[in-house]
Amino acid sequence: MTRAAALTASTETADAVVVGAGHNGLVAANLLADQGWSVTVLEAADAPGGATRTEEITAPGYLNDLGSAFHPMGYVSPVLRGLDLEAYGLEWRHAPAPLAHVLSDDRGVLLSRDVDVTAASVDRFAPGDGDAWRRLADEWQRLRDPLIAAFLGPFPPVKEAARVLRTLGGPDALRLARRMLLPAIRFGQEEFDGEGARVLIAGNALHTDLGVTQTASTAFGWLLTMLAQDVGFPVPAGGSGKIAEALVARLRARGGTVECSRPVTKVLVEGGRAVGVADAGGSVVRARRAVLADVPAPLLLRDLVGVEHLPARLVDDLARFQWDDAILKIDWALSGPVPWTAPEAREAGTIHLGGDTEGLVDFGADLDAGRMPATPFMLFGQMTLADPSRSPAGTESVWAYTHLPHSREHTEAELDEQVRRMTAVIERHAPGFGDRVVARRVSRPSDLQAQDPSLVGGALMQGTAQIHQMLVFRPTPGLGRPDTAVDGLFLAGATAHPAGAVHGAPGANAARAALARAGRLGRVYAAGIRAGHRLVYGAADERDRVLAGR
């Protein structure tokens, strides 16, 4: 059957088809439904949520998040706050403290939502660092709203940048820009004398795939550190899956539909425009206005659209797309709390383990060289400490993950050895940890991808956060917008600006672009996007000649 015949025979239509029911796809669907659009969401997995899913994967009664676990960006996100998900069952909870970093000598530094507590903790490493910390926290309070709006809004953030400029003035705004580009190690050296404050910033930078010596790692390390100081690292009561559940409930209340176990195998394109999708069963859903995809750009454009519909330069750019680090994750069900030696770790929902600043530098160097890190840096989550509903009374549901090089295959022996190394680090800082293990589940990079096909090779952020693949370079050199080279097809996932984390911004940006394309000035909007694409990819006749010669 030809595509035209398939569309003619189709009995399913909607104003918009959303491919993928990750949280970004569900955000996009909700925003379109708010404007009266009929929306159908198609999801390949057996449940919505993508990396925001929660299941009993270790032992009965223990809830484990399959992907994302704590959500400071989601908590402050104007997008998620605007959806009022609390009215659909979402409830936020906090551990006594958001974060602790345990050094190799078992000293701990605590990041509390009380700035005085944090300042006292870092001051124990170097007198005067507490005052430096307070200055940064005060500055964050002045900059928070425009910075978050700039980071999570459409590109370019003209209004928000102007607000930052008005708040700081030109000279200090220039200095802030320099700070954002600093390696996290350098920023720590400039601002603090002691190891405590330095490892908090550097450890938070490693929540991305940016090494602590890489350009712009301060941007993420400083942002996450200040968010932890400001709002903590909140978690949804009952698990991260509650975010997806609330989004689905909200969408269905507005007439939208979510169909799981229905993988899309093709985006249908006619006359250069996306007109619908075909699923694995051969059924077609026609899109009257737009197709939005919460799917990594390389998979969407090469596999679902097809290179025959793409400019040659874009095809070349996709071949250069860089994934972020692979992830190795372990979930445990414990019979009791973790027996930490460092008292700071006993009250923190999230813990950094695996080295001081020198160790973090070595960790990044191993990854850059394609080596399995000799001493794995870990994020460790104590979920029952933050949310008592995660496991039976008196027990603890915990997880840990570390980064692996994405650039090569990992043998089973290497993965097993890395699990052993991770466990040894934990046992060193919490003697007797192994005696409290009731059950364990190891998720290799391939397991993470099997759970969520968007996590290619275990890449949680769906593409590196390094500066060469951010802003106008995400996912490839272009306009920094969700509009693709196919009219009516919009990127709604984490490969689009502003990248990963659970905040809904890519989905919201895609929905806004789809609404603009379908609006009263839609033709003018489309003409502007086409003009921009011609600048980036070349004139259409040149593209066609290049493609024809391939």
Side-chain angles (χ1 to χ4, degrees), residues 361-401:
V361 171
D362 291 341
F363 177 74
D366 283 341
L367 292 172
D368 287 344
R371 297 187 296 262
M372 301 292 269
T375 302
F377 169 79
M378 283 177 282
L379 270 65
F380 188 101
Q382 303 187 115
M383 304 314 296
T384 308
L385 183 65
D387 173 17
S389 71
R390 301 296 183 96
S391 68
T395 68
E396 184 68 64
S397 175
V398 303
W399 55 264
Y401 79 70

Side-chain angles (χ1 to χ4, degrees), residues 456-533:
V456 176
L460 289 184
M461 294 190 66
Q462 297 184 32
T464 182
Q466 295 181 57
I467 194 67
H468 63 263
Q469 201 166 284
M470 296 292 286
L471 304 174
V472 294
F473 308 116
R474 191 167 190 91
T476 59
L479 307 180
R481 297 191 53 79
D483 310 80
T484 71
V486 178
D487 188 22
L489 175 65
F490 303 90
L491 286 173
T495 48
H497 172 78
V502 177
H503 43 60
N509 290 340
R512 295 185 188 108
L515 289 167
R517 176 64 182 91
R520 184 169 54 88
L521 299 177
R523 290 185 178 181
V524 175
Y525 177 90
I529 294 296
R530 283 196 300 272
H533 284 165

Side-chain angles (χ1 to χ4, degrees), residues 125-197:
F125 289 81
D129 278 0
D131 289 337
W133 189 276
R134 287 189 182 90
R135 286 194 297 273
L136 286 173
D138 288 344
E139 178 191 55
W140 167 257
Q141 289 300 323
R142 292 189 293 127
L143 294 174
R144 181 185 112 161
D145 290 344
L147 279 180
I148 289 173
F151 183 75
L152 298 182
F155 189 85
V158 177
K159 290 191 298 184
E160 291 75 17
R163 287 176 62 192
V164 172
L165 188 61
R166 288 196 301 271
T167 300
L168 289 178
D172 284 342
L174 193 62
R175 290 176 174 84
L176 176 65
R178 174 188 178 271
R179 178 197 301 172
M180 295 298 98
L181 293 174
L182 282 175
I185 286 291
R186 178 62 190 173
F187 173 72
Q189 292 168 344
E190 290 186 0
E191 298 294 332
F192 305 106
D193 293 324
E195 188 76 351

Side-chain angles (χ1 to χ4, degrees), residues 349-481:
T350 302
I351 300 163
H352 294 164
L353 296 170
D356 51 18
T357 50
E358 289 184 8
L360 300 185
V361 171
D362 291 341
F363 177 74
D366 283 341
L367 292 172
D368 287 344
R371 297 187 296 262
M372 301 292 269
T375 302
F377 169 79
M378 283 177 282
L379 270 65
F380 188 101
Q382 303 187 115
M383 304 314 296
T384 308
L385 183 65
D387 173 17
S389 71
R390 301 296 183 96
S391 68
T395 68
E396 184 68 64
S397 175
V398 303
W399 55 264
Y401 79 70
T402 191
H403 296 234
L404 306 177
H406 196 283
S407 56
R408 66 176 182 82
E409 295 293 327
H410 315 106
T411 68
E412 286 300 308
E414 286 178 322
L415 293 171
D416 290 343
E417 173 62 18
Q418 213 63 8
V419 169
R420 188 198 65 77
R421 290 172 177 172
M422 293 171 68
T423 306
V425 170
I426 297 167
E427 190 74 34
R428 185 164 67 248
H429 296 294
F433 171 82
D435 296 335
R436 301 190 181 188
V437 173
V438 175
R440 185 188 80 171
R441 164 81 170 266
V442 176
S443 296
R444 292 162 168 75
S446 59
D447 298 322
L448 295 173
Q449 183 173 341
Q451 293 167 4
D452 181 355
S454 291
L455 307 182
V456 176
L460 289 184
M461 294 190 66
Q462 297 184 32
T464 182
Q466 295 181 57
I467 194 67
H468 63 263
Q469 201 166 284
M470 296 292 286
L471 304 174
V472 294
F473 308 116
R474 191 167 190 91
T476 59
L479 307 180
R481 297 191 53 79

Side-chain angles (χ1 to χ4, degrees), residues 19-111:
V19 184
H23 89 280
N24 276 308
L26 294 171
V27 164
N30 270 276
L31 292 178
L32 295 176
D34 285 349
Q35 299 303 312
W37 286 31
S38 61
V39 184
T40 297
V41 183
L42 303 181
E43 168 58 45
D46 58 1
T52 51
R53 291 180 61 179
T54 305
E55 295 180 6
E56 292 183 354
I57 60 173
T58 53
Y62 290 81
L63 295 174
N64 300 87
D65 292 324
L66 301 187
S68 59
F70 49 88
H71 306 283
M73 294 297 292
Y75 189 78
V76 300
S77 166
V79 173
L80 295 188
R81 285 189 170 274
L83 295 176
D84 189 23
L85 297 181
E86 287 78 5
Y88 297 88
L90 181 62
E91 178 185 351
W92 295 103
R93 292 184 177 170
H94 294 267
L99 176 67
H101 190 119
V102 179
L103 298 169
S104 55
D105 61 5
D106 241 359
R107 289 181 300 161
V109 57
L110 186 70
L111 204 171

